[in-house]
Amino acid sequence: MTEDGTGLLTIGALARATGLTVRTIRYWSDEGVLTPVARSSGGYRLYDSAAVARLELIRTLRELGLGLDDVRKVLAGERTVAEVAATHVAALDTQIRALKVTRAVLSTVARRGSTAEEMTLMNKLARLSAAERRRILEEFVEETLHGLDTVDPEIRKRMLATVADLPEDPTPEQADAWVELAEMVQDAEFRAQMRRATEFNAADRGPEAPSGASLWFMKRLIDLAGDARRRGIAPEAPEADEVLRELLGDADPAAVLERLDAASNDRLARYRELMSVLNGRPLAVHAEEFAWVVAALRARAGR
C-alpha cells in the first residue's frame, strides 16, 4: 500500500501480493490489460485491491497461452472465457498438427542420415495443404492408369477410393508414412515401375472379362493356396498340380507367373504398406500364399 492511507497499491506492492515481477506487471499495464486507477504525487501508477484478482486472471490466461489481445477482450467483456478458450483449442490443434509434421520430418532425417537438400524436400512435402496432398496422390493414380482401357474397372475404382491423406489427428507413424509416401509417388522411377506393373497385368485382359475378375482371382489364390498350405502340400509336390489347375483354369501358367512377379517387388509392397498406415487399416499381405503359388509355378516352368 501507499503511505498516504488511500489503500491503493503500488506496482511493488502488487508484485509482493501476487508473486509476479514488477517488470511483468508494468508491461501488462503498458499494454492496457491492467489500468491504474490513479497516480501518486510523484507520478507512480496506483492500483486498487481488485487489481490482485485481475492479475491472477491475466496470469492464468497467459499461462494457458492466450495472447494479450484475447486477454484484453476477456477483461473488457467483449468475449467470454469460454469463447476464447474454444478459439485457442482450435489454434492449439493446428500447432499440434504442425509439430507432428515437424517431428516426422526430423525423425526421417535422423533415420536416413539425410542431406540438407533431402531434408528441405521432405519438409516441403510434409507441409503441403490437404488439397495439395490429395492432388499429388490422385495425379499419381491417374498417371498410372491413363490410357489403360483394359484395367479391371474394380481395380481402378479401388485405387482411387484408397487414395490416403493425413487424418485430422495423425499419429507419429502416419506423419512419417506421409513424408515417405509423398516422396515415393513423386519419384519418376517409382511411377514408371508402377506403370509397367499395371500395364503388364492389364495386357491380356480381354474386353469380355467381367468387372472384378482380377479381385476374384486374387481371392481364389489366397483361398486355394492357404488351404494347400494348411494341408501340408509342398509347392513342388504332385498334389499341387490340382491346386494350380483349379486356380488357373485355361490361363497360361508362365504368363500368370510373370504377372505375379511384376506385382511383388519391394517398392510396390512398401507403397501398399504406407497406404495402409495412412488409412489406419491393417494390411492384408498374404505373402505366404503368394509365395506358395509362385514357387509352384516356378517348379513347373521347366517341365
Side-chain angles (χ1 to χ4, degrees), residues 288-299:
E288 294 84 359
E289 290 81 2
F290 276 83
W292 188 94
V293 173
V294 169
L297 290 170
R298 284 177 177 161

Side-chain angles (χ1 to χ4, degrees), residues 70-243:
D70 282 326
V71 171
R72 192 179 297 109
K73 289 176 181 178
V74 170
L75 294 172
E78 297 174 12
R79 300 187 70 185
T80 67
V81 172
E83 289 171 340
V84 171
T87 301
H88 195 55
V89 165
L92 284 174
D93 285 341
T94 300
Q95 292 174 24
I96 290 169
R97 185 182 177 91
L99 285 172
K100 287 183 177 180
V101 171
T102 299
R103 179 198 175 281
V105 172
L106 292 176
S107 64
T108 303
V109 168
R111 185 174 64 250
R112 296 183 185 177
S114 301
T115 63
E117 291 78 9
E118 290 170 334
M119 180 178 66
T120 300
L121 173 60
M122 283 188 284
N123 189 50
K124 180 180 178 181
L125 292 173
R127 297 186 188 283
L128 295 174
S129 70
E132 290 170 326
R133 290 195 301 267
R134 187 163 186 85
R135 178 183 54 77
I136 286 173
L137 293 174
E138 287 179 343
E139 284 181 354
F140 166 71
V141 173
E142 290 296 346
E143 180 179 317
T144 299
L145 301 178
H146 180 69
L148 299 180
D149 297 332
T150 54
V151 171
D152 190 326
E154 288 300 316
I155 295 293
R156 179 185 294 270
K157 184 190 299 183
R158 177 170 291 192
M159 285 187 70
L160 288 171
T162 55
V163 167
D165 190 15
L166 278 171
E168 284 300 314
D169 185 22
T171 65
E173 292 75 20
Q174 287 172 321
D176 288 346
W178 162 252
V179 172
E180 185 175 347
L181 181 69
E183 284 187 292
M184 180 179 287
V185 299
Q186 293 194 105
D187 178 66
E189 184 179 339
F190 176 71
R191 286 192 172 208
Q193 189 177 38
M194 177 68 90
R195 173 74 178 187
R196 285 193 299 271
T198 306
E199 285 177 336
F200 183 79
N201 284 307
D204 65 345
R205 178 183 163 80
E208 298 177 1
S211 178
S214 299
L215 298 177
W216 177 86
F217 174 79
M218 292 303 175
K219 183 179 184 306
R220 290 281 292 164
L221 182 152
I222 292 164
D223 290 344
L224 291 171
D227 179 65
R229 293 181 68 249
R230 285 189 293 273
R231 289 159 54 197
I233 298 176
E236 64 278 2
E239 294 85 353
D241 290 339
E242 179 59 31
V243 178

